[in-house]
Structures are given as structure tokens and as C-alpha cells.
Amino acid sequence: MIQSKRFDPLLKRAQDHEDEVARDLAERQRALDTHVSRLDELRRYAEEYAGAQMSATSPAQLMNRRAFLDRLDSAVAQQRKTVDNNREKVDAERARLLLASRDKQVLEQLAASYRAQEKVVTDRRDQREMDDLGARRSRQSQREDGENGGAP
């Protein structure tokens, strides 16, 4: 088997792995986008609620309002942590994709190197065959000239 052909299954496996990691990255990125969107919504809601004016409120209503604002702040903080965790996962997937891409690239370069070496060998063999063919024709022509007495 030709040496470069041995790399075909490895290249296919490396491509499949790179594709799988790219899909994982896309999935992580979608999850991050969803969490960022939720965080933005929570922040807007908390800002709107905190900015809303309440008229003629009792102390109980003020306490309830303060408790709700505290829960909203806690939800925003929790969602921020979720976003940060998801960003870390996206960064990790990005790093995995970079590694998978580099691995595939190394295999492609190695296979290309083997193909180039094989081409050199093939070209040399073809050249040798052409040289041998030319030499045989030349010898045959000289023999025929000698048999014909040197006359064309």
C-alpha cells in the first residue's frame, strides 16, 4: 500500500473529531447566548422594577418590595455566575477545537509530504523508463543502420 494512503483513515478520523468538537462548540455558544440573553432580561426587569414609583405604600409593601428587589439581585448574580461558567466552557471548547484542527493539519502536512516523496520516486522511475526506452530505440536504430550497411 502506498504510504500516503495509510493516512486516509487517520485524516478522516481527525476530520470527524474536528467536526464533532466544532458542533460541541456551536452548542456551547448557543447555550451561552441564551444565558446572556436571560441575564440581560433579568437586569432590565430589575432596573425597571427598582425605578418604578410606588405611591402611598405601607411599610409592609415597602418591605415586600425590598425583599423582591433582593431576590431579583440574587437572581441576577446567579445568572451572571451561570454566564461566566458558560463562557469558560465555550473557551474550553474553543481550545479543544484549536487542538483538533492542529492535529488534523499535522496529519495533512505529513500525508502531503509522503505524497510529494512518492511523486519524486514516481517521476524518477518514469524518467528512468523514458531514458531506457530512448536508449533501446537508439541501439535498435544503430543495429538497423548497421544491418542495412549504413544506408538509409
Side-chain angles (χ1 to χ4, degrees), residues 46-121:
E47 287 171 8
E48 288 173 10
Y49 191 82
Q53 295 296 322
M54 291 186 63
S55 61
T57 56
S58 67
Q61 288 175 325
L62 286 174
M63 282 181 31
N64 284 342
R65 179 179 169 84
R66 184 71 251 158
F68 185 69
L69 283 171
D70 289 343
R71 283 195 302 273
L72 274 176
D73 288 343
S74 176
V76 167
Q78 181 61 41
Q79 189 63 28
R80 191 177 307 117
K81 285 181 186 177
T82 301
V83 166
D84 291 343
N85 289 338
N86 276 273
R87 274 200 180 105
E88 290 174 10
K89 289 176 183 178
V90 166
D91 291 343
E93 287 300 320
R94 219 175 257 128
R96 280 186 60 216
L97 180 59
L98 182 62
L99 289 174
S101 179
R102 284 182 185 166
D103 289 347
K104 184 186 80 165
Q105 187 178 17
V106 165
L107 287 174
E108 286 172 342
Q109 289 173 346
L110 192 55
S113 173
Y114 277 117
R115 281 192 292 275
Q117 289 174 0
E118 291 164 0
K119 182 176 177 359
V120 167
V121 169

Side-chain angles (χ1 to χ4, degrees), residues 11 15 22 30 54 74 95 98 110 112 124 141 152:
L11 285 169
Q15 181 65 53
R30 278 192 297 277
M54 291 186 63
S74 176
L98 182 62
L110 192 55
R124 285 181 184 162
S141 176

